[in-house]
Amino acid sequence: MSEALKAFEDELQSKNFKGYWQNIQGDVAREPVPSFAPCFWKGKDLFAATEKAGEVVGLDVSFRRVIQLWNPALKNGTSRTLVLNLQLLKPGEDALSHRHMAGAIRFILKGQGTRLIVEGESFEIGEGDFVTTPSWTWHDHENHGGESMMWLDGLDAPLVRLLETDFHEPDPRKKQTVTKPEGYTLATVGALRPSWMKQNSIQPPAFCYKWADTERALSKVGEQPGDPYDGIVLDYANPLTGGPTLPTMACQIHMLRGSEKTKSHRHTSSTIYHVWRGGGVSYIGDQRYEWEQGDSFVVPLWNFHHHENTSKEPAVFFVMSDKPLMDAIGHYREDAKAD
Ligand code: 1HN
């Protein structure tokens, strides 16, 4: 570098300026190069760690007894934008109320009879149910049943951290008072809905999607061709608009029929998979992962991936992705691998 150029750059810096040429480091990438790699978590290890947390970590120590599926390529989180956790709530435990900017979902893996209270409505939850806790909604949980509850917590917390928009408020009441009748949201946001009710046009209402309905839908469409890359896909749609689950994340159920093998593709959204039923193998970039019930893995953006159900029984994934974000800003691109 010439003396004159160095002196000029120093002068720019002293005035908080930077020349474009100072940012160019070699070739500019022609396509996305994710900074985080695929990662796989064994369900057996996750459940064992969570059981252990149940013995050594009280709710006084950890406001929520939650273990994160931490992608070591990141400071925090499972993907760049989303995090998947497993939460344990033991019989008799109450997780106190709070609200925050991060939007959250729960997918119940184990247990019955617990209640999630969101914005004054109490939802009874059990295995396979899926519940949303949209951004800035009060939420607390109570396990008044006889068995431990375990559920997946999915949050857009890494995105919120990046945006630095995290308002976070403990509830001065500690626990919410239930102010809405049982089944209130279900009865008011469907095809028949009260005409005077104003709804938030960005955030969906908190909603509980029952496993029995998911199973029924799978059985009604299970014979159809489905999607070449993901098999039979059900969207957990915003019940009001039919749009994505939350503005920042799309949650889905994927079913691979017995011996089904999907085609390979890649896209600019990143996807987190949890194996809810069955066994098989997924290929992500140059990695091969064999999975069984309870396992989880993440497919970073722009990694080719495809899946194979290696058994005769259906395999079912619970899936979470940041595609709505990419759609909202016009960054979604998808590319099929040539056969
Ligand atoms: C949260 O609010 C819950 O309410 C669980 O159950 C996990 C992880 C990060 C930030 C907030 C919950 C969380 C969380």
Side-chain angles (χ1 to χ4, degrees):
M1 193 192 307
S2 74
E3 291 277 311
L5 181 55
K6 173 83 177 74
F8 180 46
E9 288 185 357
D10 289 348
E11 184 191 337
L12 286 174
Q13 189 179 348
S14 74
K15 291 168 183 157
N16 295 341
F17 293 134
K18 195 180 216 180
Y20 176 76
W21 64 91
Q22 291 181 272
N23 276 328
I24 302 172
Q25 284 140 4
D27 273 346
V28 175
R30 300 294 173 103
E31 55 180 40
V33 185
S35 63
F36 61 106
C39 196
F40 182 88
W41 296 266
K42 207 60 212 153
K44 286 194 177 83
D45 296 338
L46 176 64
F47 294 123
T50 307
E51 298 278 6
K52 178 105 188 256
E55 291 160 22
V56 299
V57 183
L59 292 190
D60 51 336
V61 173
S62 185
F63 184 72
R64 299 288 195 252
R65 190 186 295 106
V66 158
I67 292 191
Q68 176 186 148
L69 279 69
W70 179 24
N71 189 327
L74 301 165
K75 189 155 174 264
N76 240 308
T78 310
S79 75
R80 172 74 58 206
T81 51
L82 301 177
V83 61
L84 187 65
N85 304 297
L86 185 66
Q87 178 161 175
L88 169 67
L89 196 64
K90 295 195 291 186
E93 285 185 331
D94 270 344
L96 302 183
S97 174
H98 71 161
R99 60 180 174 177
H100 40 66
M101 292 306 265
I105 59 86
R106 332 264 164 215
F107 185 77
I108 316 306
L109 297 186
K110 186 176 158 298
Q112 302 286 347
T114 286
R115 291 202 160 256
L116 295 189
I117 297 105
V118 191
E119 287 293 304
E121 180 167 355
S122 172
F123 297 94
E124 184 174 350
I125 50 161
E127 262 175 48
D129 294 348
F130 171 78
V131 194
T132 55
T133 308
S135 178
W136 207 239
T137 51
W138 292 114
H139 54 284
D140 61 73
H141 324 131
E142 52 196 36
N143 185 350
H144 292 174
E147 53 178 326
S148 281
M149 292 289 297
M150 276 195 194
W151 60 72
L152 296 172
D153 280 308
L155 294 106
D156 55 16
L159 174 75
V160 174
R161 202 169 293 120
L162 176 76
L163 299 175
E164 301 181 340
T165 48
D166 198 18
F167 294 90
H168 199 121
E169 193 180 353
D171 194 332
R173 303 166 293 181
K174 305 279 187 216
K175 298 285 294 172
Q176 295 173 77
T177 312
V178 175
T179 54
K180 293 174 182 156
E182 190 84 17
Y184 176 82
T185 301
L186 188 62
T188 53
V189 304
L192 182 71
R193 50 180 90 166
S195 65
W196 66 87
M197 276 191 197
K198 292 279 174 288
Q199 297 287 351
N200 183 327
S201 60
I202 296 178
Q203 297 293 342
F207 201 74
C208 179
Y209 308 69
K210 304 302 285 181
W211 176 249
D213 295 332
T214 311
E215 229 176 3
R216 190 173 318 113
L218 286 175
S219 76
K220 300 284 179 200
V221 299
E223 299 299 317
Q224 293 180 23
D227 180 281
Y229 308 105
D230 292 305
I232 293 291
V233 177
L234 298 180
D235 288 319
Y236 286 111
N238 174 332
L240 273 172
T241 64
T245 321
L246 296 180
T248 48
M249 69 171 91
C251 298
Q252 298 174 322
I253 289 288
H254 294 189
M255 180 173 75
L256 303 175
R257 277 71 53 102
S259 308
E260 183 165 1
K261 189 176 169 183
T262 65
K263 288 183 183 297
S264 181
H265 74 159
R266 61 181 176 178
H267 36 69
T268 51
S269 52
S270 299
T271 314
I272 302 169
Y273 292 79
H274 175 82
V275 184
W276 173 235
R277 296 284 183 256
V281 53
S282 293
Y283 299 83
I284 311 170
D286 56 9
Q287 304 286 316
R288 177 182 187 277
Y289 297 104
E290 266 177 51
W291 40 259
E292 61 182 342
Q293 186 170 328
D295 295 344
S296 305
F297 53 92
V298 57
V299 179
L301 69 153
W302 219 237
N303 274 249
F304 278 114
H305 56 283
H306 68 279
H307 315 285
E308 211 179 315
N309 180 355
T310 51
S311 90
K312 298 269 175 284
E313 298 303 313
V316 181
F317 293 132
F318 170 73
V319 176
M320 217 167 94
S321 100
D322 58 3
K323 182 171 183 288
L325 268 182
M326 302 306 145
D327 284 333
I329 59 173
H331 284 199
Y332 188 73
R333 281 210 207 179
E334 189 177 348
D335 182 18
K337 192 167 194 168
D339 290 319

